[in-house]
Amino acid sequence: MKPVRTLAEALGAGALVLDGGLSNQLEAQGCDLSDALWSARLLADGPEQIEAAHAAYVRAGARVLITSSYQATFEGFARRGVDREAAARLLARSVELARAAAVEVGEEVWVAGSVGPYGAMLADGSEYRGRYGLSVRELEAFHRPRIEALAAAEPDVLALETVPDATEAEALLRAVEGCGVPVWLSYTVEGGRTRAGQDLAEAFAVAAGNDRVVAVGVNCCEPAEAGPAVELAVAVTGKPAVVYPNSGERWDARARGWRGGVAFDPARAADWATAGARLIGGCCRVGPATISALAADAGGGAG
C-alpha cells in the first residue's frame, strides 16, 4: 500500500530515515553477489532475499526503501539472455518487493526506485570516475527506457543516485521529464568535488529550479564529506538535502576485501538535519544496526 502523503509533503514535516546498503545486508543473509548484475541478479533468482533485506531495514526504522534496481538495466539483463519484456517485469518487481516489505510495520514507508549511473551497467568501476565519453543525448537515451519501466511501477520517488559527474546528472534530469514521478539527485563525491573532478556547487546547480527534484545531495562517499555537501546543496538549490554516505571502509580491489575502520557516526544525523538534510541514511557497509541507531538520533525518522 502506498503512503497517504507524498514524499514531498513528508519532507516538509521533518527528516525521514533511509535504509542502508542493500548488498551488505544480502551478503549477511548468505547471498552470493559475485556477479556483474550484483544484487539485481536476485530479482530473478532470489526475490525473497531482496524482500527480506528490505524488511530488515524497515524493522530497523527506515521509512524510505531504495529498490534493488541500481544495477538493473535492459543492457545488463540482455547479456544474460533476458529479453526486454522480461527485464521490464524484473524492474517492476524491484518496486513491488520494497512495497511488500513495508507492509508489516503499519506505518508510512516510501519506496525510491534506484536509477544507478551508466557506469554501474559496465560493472568496471567507472561509476566512480564518470566521463564515459558519451554525450548528454546518448546518456539520456540509455537512461530513459529504465526510468520509464520503473516509473510505470509507481514508486514514490526515483533515486538518481551515485552520479559521478554533472554531465550524467543533466542527462538523467532530461530522461525523467514526463515520467510523472518526483526524483532526488545524489552525487558520489571525493575531496569536495564530483568523482569526475567537477566543482560541486556547479554540479548541484543542475537541479536548481527543477520542480521535479525534491532533494539534492550525496551518497556512496566518505562520511566526512556529508556535512559540507549538505550545506552546499541546500545553499545552491534551496531544496532539502539527501545524504547517505558509506561506512568509511574502503574496498581493496586487488585483495578483494574491505580495509580501514568504520567512520559512520549516527550521532551526526542531527547535525545533517539541522543543515537541511531531510533524507538521511547509509550506503555501502551500513547495516540495519546502524540505521536503527541513526533513526533514534534523528528523532525516529518520522516527519
Side-chain angles (χ1 to χ4, degrees):
M1 184 175 68
K2 295 192 71 170
V4 174
R5 295 179 295 173
T6 67
L7 184 65
E9 289 170 340
L11 296 183
L16 293 173
V17 173
L18 304 175
D19 55 13
L22 185 63
S23 61
N24 47 266
Q25 178 57 25
L26 289 169
E27 288 174 338
Q29 293 170 194
C31 299
D32 179 6
L33 302 183
S34 58
D35 185 281
L37 286 175
W38 204 29
S39 57
R41 177 183 64 80
L42 296 176
L43 286 169
D45 298 346
E48 71 285 352
Q49 293 282 6
I50 292 175
E51 184 175 340
H54 286 315
Y57 282 115
V58 172
R59 290 192 295 270
R63 292 300 172 258
V64 181
L65 298 175
I66 302 174
T67 65
S68 53
S69 52
Y70 174 83
Q71 207 145 330
T73 63
F74 287 103
E75 292 81 358
F77 283 131
R79 290 197 292 265
R80 294 302 181 86
V82 180
D83 65 28
R84 292 187 72 83
E85 183 177 350
R89 287 197 299 270
L90 291 175
L91 284 161
R93 179 178 290 174
S94 73
V95 176
E96 294 161 3
L97 292 170
R99 195 75 77 189
V103 171
E104 67 179 74
V105 296
E107 297 183 33
E108 287 182 302
V109 177
W110 291 263
V111 172
S114 174
V115 181
Y118 176 81
M121 180 272 295
L122 300 177
D124 63 357
S126 59
E127 67 210 89
Y128 299 111
R129 298 188 298 270
R131 299 190 183 279
Y132 314 112
L134 300 178
S135 67
V136 170
R137 180 175 296 181
E138 288 169 324
L139 287 168
E140 177 187 353
F142 166 78
H143 284 296
R144 187 178 292 277
R146 176 172 49 154
I147 285 169
E148 291 175 345
L150 282 170
E154 300 185 339
D156 300 295
V157 64
L158 291 174
L160 313 180
E161 59 175 351
T162 325
V163 181
D165 70 54
T167 299
E168 185 160 27
E170 183 180 349
L172 282 161
L173 292 176
R174 289 189 185 184
V176 299
E177 291 179 3
C179 75
V181 180
V183 306
W184 80 57
L185 174 65
S186 180
Y187 288 97
T188 179
V189 299
E190 187 171 35
R193 304 180 74 84
T194 70
R195 289 295 186 104
Q198 297 147 332
D199 180 83
L200 192 53
E202 293 178 4
F204 285 146
V206 170
N210 188 322
D211 292 338
R212 185 167 299 285
V213 180
V214 296
V216 181
V218 294
N219 77 291
C220 204
C221 61
E222 292 284 340
E225 302 267 7
V230 166
E231 294 177 1
L232 186 61
V234 173
V236 170
T237 68
K239 297 177 182 291
V242 54
V243 57
Y244 47 119
N246 296 332
S247 70
E249 298 161 276
R250 287 182 175 272
W251 175 253
D252 185 332
R254 179 173 297 179
R256 298 200 61 77
W258 292 92
R259 298 289 181 265
V262 173
F264 189 107
D265 181 1
R268 298 300 300 274
D271 293 336
W272 300 341
T274 299
R278 292 296 176 266
L279 292 162
I280 304 172
C283 202
C284 299
R285 303 284 286 178
V286 176
T290 304
I291 294 302
S292 180
L294 190 153
D297 286 321

